[in-house]
Amino acid sequence: MSIERLAELMSRGDVVVVSGAGLSTDSGLPDYRGSGGSEKPSVDFDMFTGSHTWQRWVWQRNQETWRALDALAPTEGHTILAEWERDGIVTGTATQNIDGLHVKAGSERVAEMHGSFTRVTCLDCGEVTDRAALDPRLRELNPHTVDDPDPANAAILAEADYAKAAESTFTVAQCASCGGTLKPDIVFFGEAVQAMDEAFDYARDAKTILVVGSSLLVMTGMWVVTQGLSSGADIAIINRGPTQADRLADVRIEGGISETLAAVDKILTG
């Protein structure tokens, strides 16, 4: 019955997706990532901007692991959501994920609230460039760096391990345009969240907010849900485990994202 009700909500259109790490687990990513598989906190924004030691360490770990994310393919769930956007069912996606898989699947209206590993930003001139374009420069400067192919070890935000950071001899590249400080275009702790205005704009016009793969413990997703509620949207949730918005949901499905979306898509395409 829940699948049929979810399909009914999707069929009305004007659906805004709020996505979290659970959507990407079929691609090989763990539900929690960002500190390289460690429980230690990651390097925060003030640490990064205030210390060349932390900058070297962040870029070393980023360079060692970013290709593991770059090699990932979108899940069936990402693909279905992108198809629903092309069909006019989904009008926008607000994602907490930094893996770039929504864009890789073909979604275009994506508010990447926590940034994306696929980009690099200059803290001085503000220029945003592709991460892939920086790779040859870093490899030339650091020819002995070895890639870690396991996405479970992805350390786009490096753990705050000062002993390891102090040992790093990694050479950091500067902005090619102004010589300024480059930073992975990921939201560090202590840094302003990105794309929230875009996410709120999507939610204001939504008939349904569809939460996929997020517990909503990270408040960015919950803010979007709250905005949708205040605008009269229904709430639908697909997740393994409880979420902060379960009590607010019109439809709540406990299960895998890709398999559930595929079942709904089968009903919609009849």
Side-chain angles (χ1 to χ4, degrees), residues 157-191:
L157 293 181
E159 66 183 26
D161 188 325
Y162 189 79
K164 291 181 180 179
E167 294 175 355
S168 176
T169 59
F170 194 81
T171 300
V172 176
Q174 304 303 309
C175 176
S177 295
C178 76
T181 300
L182 295 177
K183 185 185 79 70
D185 196 26
I186 309 298
V187 176
F188 284 48
F189 290 105
E191 187 179 8

mmCIF file of all heavy atoms in Angstrom, residues 157-191:
data_model
loop_
_atom_site.group_PDB
_atom_site.id
_atom_site.type_symbol
_atom_site.label_atom_id
_atom_site.label_comp_id
_atom_site.label_asym_id
_atom_site.label_seq_id
_atom_site.Cartn_x
_atom_site.Cartn_y
_atom_site.Cartn_z
ATOM 1 N N LEU A 157 37.491 15.224 3.161
ATOM 2 C CA LEU A 157 37.828 16.028 4.339
ATOM 3 C C LEU A 157 38.733 15.166 5.212
ATOM 4 O O LEU A 157 38.320 14.116 5.698
ATOM 5 C CB LEU A 157 36.570 16.433 5.113
ATOM 6 C CG LEU A 157 35.627 17.396 4.408
ATOM 7 C CD1 LEU A 157 34.437 17.724 5.309
ATOM 8 C CD2 LEU A 157 36.340 18.673 4.020
ATOM 9 N N ALA A 158 39.959 15.596 5.421
ATOM 10 C CA ALA A 158 40.937 14.791 6.141
ATOM 11 C C ALA A 158 40.657 14.781 7.631
ATOM 12 O O ALA A 158 40.178 15.764 8.202
ATOM 13 C CB ALA A 158 42.346 15.332 5.886
ATOM 14 N N GLU A 159 40.982 13.660 8.285
ATOM 15 C CA GLU A 159 40.836 13.590 9.737
ATOM 16 C C GLU A 159 41.824 14.541 10.398
ATOM 17 O O GLU A 159 42.912 14.791 9.886
ATOM 18 C CB GLU A 159 41.063 12.160 10.219
ATOM 19 C CG GLU A 159 42.479 11.668 10.018
ATOM 20 C CD GLU A 159 42.653 10.208 10.450
ATOM 21 O OE1 GLU A 159 41.655 9.463 10.425
ATOM 22 O OE2 GLU A 159 43.778 9.837 10.804
ATOM 23 N N ALA A 160 41.427 15.057 11.548
ATOM 24 C CA ALA A 160 42.251 16.031 12.265
ATOM 25 C C ALA A 160 43.283 15.309 13.122
ATOM 26 O O ALA A 160 43.246 15.349 14.355
ATOM 27 C CB ALA A 160 41.371 16.942 13.116
ATOM 28 N N ASP A 161 44.218 14.664 12.455
ATOM 29 C CA ASP A 161 45.301 13.938 13.116
ATOM 30 C C ASP A 161 46.578 14.752 12.936
ATOM 31 O O ASP A 161 47.232 14.694 11.893
ATOM 32 C CB ASP A 161 45.448 12.551 12.500
ATOM 33 C CG ASP A 161 46.432 11.669 13.254
ATOM 34 O OD1 ASP A 161 47.432 12.207 13.769
ATOM 35 O OD2 ASP A 161 46.203 10.446 13.316
ATOM 36 N N TYR A 162 46.926 15.535 13.961
ATOM 37 C CA TYR A 162 48.033 16.471 13.788
ATOM 38 C C TYR A 162 49.365 15.754 13.624
ATOM 39 O O TYR A 162 50.238 16.234 12.885
ATOM 40 C CB TYR A 162 48.130 17.449 14.964
ATOM 41 C CG TYR A 162 49.128 18.555 14.683
ATOM 42 C CD1 TYR A 162 48.784 19.638 13.871
ATOM 43 C CD2 TYR A 162 50.427 18.497 15.190
ATOM 44 C CE1 TYR A 162 49.699 20.629 13.571
ATOM 45 C CE2 TYR A 162 51.357 19.497 14.901
ATOM 46 C CZ TYR A 162 50.984 20.554 14.085
ATOM 47 O OH TYR A 162 51.897 21.533 13.783
ATOM 48 N N ALA A 163 49.544 14.611 14.272
ATOM 49 C CA ALA A 163 50.809 13.884 14.139
ATOM 50 C C ALA A 163 51.052 13.494 12.686
ATOM 51 O O ALA A 163 52.164 13.664 12.150
ATOM 52 C CB ALA A 163 50.805 12.656 15.039
ATOM 53 N N LYS A 164 50.014 12.994 12.029
ATOM 54 C CA LYS A 164 50.148 12.630 10.621
ATOM 55 C C LYS A 164 50.291 13.882 9.756
ATOM 56 O O LYS A 164 51.065 13.895 8.793
ATOM 57 C CB LYS A 164 48.939 11.810 10.176
ATOM 58 C CG LYS A 164 48.881 10.424 10.788
ATOM 59 C CD LYS A 164 47.668 9.661 10.284
ATOM 60 C CE LYS A 164 47.603 8.260 10.886
ATOM 61 N NZ LYS A 164 46.406 7.516 10.420
ATOM 62 N N ALA A 165 49.530 14.906 10.088
ATOM 63 C CA ALA A 165 49.596 16.137 9.294
ATOM 64 C C ALA A 165 50.990 16.747 9.348
ATOM 65 O O ALA A 165 51.509 17.237 8.331
ATOM 66 C CB ALA A 165 48.558 17.136 9.798
ATOM 67 N N ALA A 166 51.605 16.716 10.518
ATOM 68 C CA ALA A 166 52.932 17.317 10.673
ATOM 69 C C ALA A 166 54.001 16.573 9.881
ATOM 70 O O ALA A 166 55.039 17.145 9.530
ATOM 71 C CB ALA A 166 53.310 17.358 12.151
ATOM 72 N N GLU A 167 53.746 15.305 9.588
ATOM 73 C CA GLU A 167 54.696 14.501 8.821
ATOM 74 C C GLU A 167 54.556 14.710 7.314
ATOM 75 O O GLU A 167 55.428 14.299 6.547
ATOM 76 C CB GLU A 167 54.501 13.016 9.137
ATOM 77 C CG GLU A 167 54.855 12.633 10.565
ATOM 78 C CD GLU A 167 54.521 11.186 10.860
ATOM 79 O OE1 GLU A 167 53.936 10.523 9.969
ATOM 80 O OE2 GLU A 167 54.822 10.716 11.972
ATOM 81 N N SER A 168 53.466 15.344 6.887
ATOM 82 C CA SER A 168 53.200 15.487 5.459
ATOM 83 C C SER A 168 54.207 16.434 4.801
ATOM 84 O O SER A 168 54.475 17.528 5.302
ATOM 85 C CB SER A 168 51.785 16.020 5.223
ATOM 86 O OG SER A 168 51.557 16.243 3.834
ATOM 87 N N THR A 169 54.726 16.006 3.663
ATOM 88 C CA THR A 169 55.610 16.847 2.848
ATOM 89 C C THR A 169 54.953 17.200 1.526
ATOM 90 O O THR A 169 55.622 17.602 0.575
ATOM 91 C CB THR A 169 56.945 16.133 2.590
ATOM 92 O OG1 THR A 169 56.694 14.881 1.908
ATOM 93 C CG2 THR A 169 57.681 15.862 3.896
ATOM 94 N N PHE A 170 53.631 17.044 1.476
ATOM 95 C CA PHE A 170 52.883 17.277 0.245
ATOM 96 C C PHE A 170 53.019 18.736 -0.200
ATOM 97 O O PHE A 170 52.983 19.656 0.619
ATOM 98 C CB PHE A 170 51.410 16.952 0.477
ATOM 99 C CG PHE A 170 50.578 16.816 -0.761
ATOM 100 C CD1 PHE A 170 50.572 15.647 -1.483
ATOM 101 C CD2 PHE A 170 49.788 17.865 -1.203
ATOM 102 C CE1 PHE A 170 49.792 15.504 -2.625
ATOM 103 C CE2 PHE A 170 49.015 17.753 -2.342
ATOM 104 C CZ PHE A 170 49.017 16.563 -3.053
ATOM 105 N N THR A 171 53.194 18.940 -1.496
ATOM 106 C CA THR A 171 53.289 20.292 -2.056
ATOM 107 C C THR A 171 51.921 20.708 -2.583
ATOM 108 O O THR A 171 51.356 20.055 -3.470
ATOM 109 C CB THR A 171 54.320 20.354 -3.197
ATOM 110 O OG1 THR A 171 55.599 19.966 -2.687
ATOM 111 C CG2 THR A 171 54.406 21.765 -3.767
ATOM 112 N N VAL A 172 51.388 21.776 -2.042
ATOM 113 C CA VAL A 172 50.047 22.251 -2.395
ATOM 114 C C VAL A 172 50.126 23.175 -3.601
ATOM 115 O O VAL A 172 51.001 24.051 -3.672
ATOM 116 C CB VAL A 172 49.414 22.989 -1.198
ATOM 117 C CG1 VAL A 172 48.056 23.571 -1.567
ATOM 118 C CG2 VAL A 172 49.294 22.052 -0.004
ATOM 119 N N ALA A 173 49.232 23.015 -4.547
ATOM 120 C CA ALA A 173 49.155 23.919 -5.703
ATOM 121 C C ALA A 173 48.392 25.181 -5.322
ATOM 122 O O ALA A 173 47.464 25.140 -4.509
ATOM 123 C CB ALA A 173 48.465 23.220 -6.866
ATOM 124 N N GLN A 174 48.777 26.285 -5.911
ATOM 125 C CA GLN A 174 48.079 27.545 -5.705
ATOM 126 C C GLN A 174 47.137 27.819 -6.880
ATOM 127 O O GLN A 174 47.237 27.195 -7.940
ATOM 128 C CB GLN A 174 49.088 28.692 -5.563
ATOM 129 C CG GLN A 174 50.108 28.485 -4.447
ATOM 130 C CD GLN A 174 49.458 28.270 -3.094
ATOM 131 O OE1 GLN A 174 48.597 29.048 -2.673
ATOM 132 N NE2 GLN A 174 49.854 27.203 -2.402
ATOM 133 N N CYS A 175 46.219 28.745 -6.689
ATOM 134 C CA CYS A 175 45.270 29.106 -7.742
ATOM 135 C C CYS A 175 46.022 29.540 -8.996
ATOM 136 O O CYS A 175 46.913 30.401 -8.931
ATOM 137 C CB CYS A 175 44.361 30.227 -7.251
ATOM 138 S SG CYS A 175 43.204 30.860 -8.491
ATOM 139 N N ALA A 176 45.668 28.970 -10.137
ATOM 140 C CA ALA A 176 46.346 29.293 -11.387
ATOM 141 C C ALA A 176 46.036 30.712 -11.846
ATOM 142 O O ALA A 176 46.791 31.291 -12.630
ATOM 143 C CB ALA A 176 45.935 28.296 -12.465
ATOM 144 N N SER A 177 44.929 31.280 -11.356
ATOM 145 C CA SER A 177 44.538 32.622 -11.792
ATOM 146 C C SER A 177 45.142 33.720 -10.930
ATOM 147 O O SER A 177 45.573 34.756 -11.446
ATOM 148 C CB SER A 177 43.008 32.753 -11.777
ATOM 149 O OG SER A 177 42.422 31.894 -12.733
ATOM 150 N N CYS A 178 45.184 33.505 -9.593
ATOM 151 C CA CYS A 178 45.621 34.592 -8.720
ATOM 152 C C CYS A 178 46.718 34.202 -7.738
ATOM 153 O O CYS A 178 47.216 35.054 -7.002
ATOM 154 C CB CYS A 178 44.433 35.169 -7.963
ATOM 155 S SG CYS A 178 43.857 34.121 -6.584
ATOM 156 N N GLY A 179 47.073 32.907 -7.694
ATOM 157 C CA GLY A 179 48.077 32.461 -6.742
ATOM 158 C C GLY A 179 47.552 32.276 -5.340
ATOM 159 O O GLY A 179 48.328 32.102 -4.395
ATOM 160 N N GLY A 180 46.236 32.312 -5.178
ATOM 161 C CA GLY A 180 45.624 32.211 -3.861
ATOM 162 C C GLY A 180 45.504 30.783 -3.358
ATOM 163 O O GLY A 180 45.980 29.829 -3.979
ATOM 164 N N THR A 181 44.818 30.649 -2.218
ATOM 165 C CA THR A 181 44.679 29.360 -1.542
ATOM 166 C C THR A 181 43.515 28.568 -2.123
ATOM 167 O O THR A 181 42.375 29.042 -2.147
ATOM 168 C CB THR A 181 44.444 29.571 -0.033
ATOM 169 O OG1 THR A 181 45.557 30.275 0.518
ATOM 170 C CG2 THR A 181 44.277 28.241 0.685
ATOM 171 N N LEU A 182 43.803 27.357 -2.573
ATOM 172 C CA LEU A 182 42.774 26.473 -3.095
ATOM 173 C C LEU A 182 42.220 25.583 -1.988
ATOM 174 O O LEU A 182 42.946 25.150 -1.098
ATOM 175 C CB LEU A 182 43.339 25.596 -4.206
ATOM 176 C CG LEU A 182 43.790 26.301 -5.484
ATOM 177 C CD1 LEU A 182 44.384 25.284 -6.462
ATOM 178 C CD2 LEU A 182 42.642 27.066 -6.133
ATOM 179 N N LYS A 183 40.915 25.303 -2.074
ATOM 180 C CA LYS A 183 40.245 24.434 -1.118
ATOM 181 C C LYS A 183 39.288 23.511 -1.863
ATOM 182 O O LYS A 183 38.628 23.956 -2.806
ATOM 183 C CB LYS A 183 39.450 25.270 -0.107
ATOM 184 C CG LYS A 183 38.804 24.457 1.014
ATOM 185 C CD LYS A 183 37.932 25.326 1.908
ATOM 186 C CE LYS A 183 36.584 25.603 1.279
ATOM 187 N NZ LYS A 183 35.707 24.404 1.222
ATOM 188 N N PRO A 184 39.222 22.231 -1.478
ATOM 189 C CA PRO A 184 38.160 21.392 -2.044
ATOM 190 C C PRO A 184 36.808 22.066 -1.831
ATOM 191 O O PRO A 184 36.557 22.624 -0.760
ATOM 192 C CB PRO A 184 38.278 20.090 -1.240
ATOM 193 C CG PRO A 184 39.682 20.071 -0.727
ATOM 194 C CD PRO A 184 40.028 21.509 -0.468
ATOM 195 N N ASP A 185 35.950 22.038 -2.846
ATOM 196 C CA ASP A 185 34.672 22.749 -2.753
ATOM 197 C C ASP A 185 33.652 21.936 -1.959
ATOM 198 O O ASP A 185 32.537 21.669 -2.403
ATOM 199 C CB ASP A 185 34.139 23.064 -4.148
ATOM 200 C CG ASP A 185 33.043 24.129 -4.114
ATOM 201 O OD1 ASP A 185 33.045 24.941 -3.170
ATOM 202 O OD2 ASP A 185 32.195 24.135 -5.028
ATOM 203 N N ILE A 186 34.098 21.531 -0.786
ATOM 204 C CA ILE A 186 33.275 20.804 0.178
ATOM 205 C C ILE A 186 33.068 21.728 1.375
ATOM 206 O O ILE A 186 33.967 22.472 1.749
ATOM 207 C CB ILE A 186 33.994 19.524 0.671
ATOM 208 C CG1 ILE A 186 34.504 18.684 -0.497
ATOM 209 C CG2 ILE A 186 33.080 18.705 1.572
ATOM 210 C CD1 ILE A 186 33.436 18.183 -1.401
ATOM 211 N N VAL A 187 31.895 21.668 1.979
ATOM 212 C CA VAL A 187 31.638 22.488 3.152
ATOM 213 C C VAL A 187 32.349 21.872 4.360
ATOM 214 O O VAL A 187 32.004 20.773 4.801
ATOM 215 C CB VAL A 187 30.131 22.611 3.423
ATOM 216 C CG1 VAL A 187 29.884 23.386 4.719
ATOM 217 C CG2 VAL A 187 29.441 23.305 2.260
ATOM 218 N N PHE A 188 33.353 22.574 4.863
ATOM 219 C CA PHE A 188 34.041 22.151 6.077
ATOM 220 C C PHE A 188 33.194 22.545 7.291
ATOM 221 O O PHE A 188 32.393 23.476 7.223
ATOM 222 C CB PHE A 188 35.391 22.863 6.194
ATOM 223 C CG PHE A 188 36.477 22.342 5.285
ATOM 224 C CD1 PHE A 188 36.254 22.120 3.933
ATOM 225 C CD2 PHE A 188 37.745 22.100 5.795
ATOM 226 C CE1 PHE A 188 37.267 21.660 3.110
ATOM 227 C CE2 PHE A 188 38.768 21.645 4.975
ATOM 228 C CZ PHE A 188 38.528 21.413 3.629
ATOM 229 N N PHE A 189 33.400 21.855 8.406
ATOM 230 C CA PHE A 189 32.763 22.293 9.653
ATOM 231 C C PHE A 189 33.239 23.713 9.972
ATOM 232 O O PHE A 189 34.409 24.035 9.854
ATOM 233 C CB PHE A 189 33.116 21.346 10.798
ATOM 234 C CG PHE A 189 32.472 20.000 10.673
ATOM 235 C CD1 PHE A 189 33.209 18.895 10.291
ATOM 236 C CD2 PHE A 189 31.119 19.842 10.919
ATOM 237 C CE1 PHE A 189 32.619 17.649 10.153
ATOM 238 C CE2 PHE A 189 30.506 18.598 10.783
ATOM 239 C CZ PHE A 189 31.268 17.500 10.406
ATOM 240 N N GLY A 190 32.288 24.560 10.332
ATOM 241 C CA GLY A 190 32.603 25.951 10.608
ATOM 242 C C GLY A 190 32.487 26.858 9.405
ATOM 243 O O GLY A 190 32.698 28.064 9.509
ATOM 244 N N GLU A 191 32.121 26.293 8.260
ATOM 245 C CA GLU A 191 31.996 27.059 7.022
ATOM 246 C C GLU A 191 30.524 27.195 6.666
ATOM 247 O O GLU A 191 29.713 26.321 6.994
ATOM 248 C CB GLU A 191 32.753 26.343 5.899
ATOM 249 C CG GLU A 191 32.844 27.107 4.597
ATOM 250 C CD GLU A 191 33.631 26.348 3.539
ATOM 251 O OE1 GLU A 191 33.978 25.175 3.759
ATOM 252 O OE2 GLU A 191 33.892 26.943 2.474
#
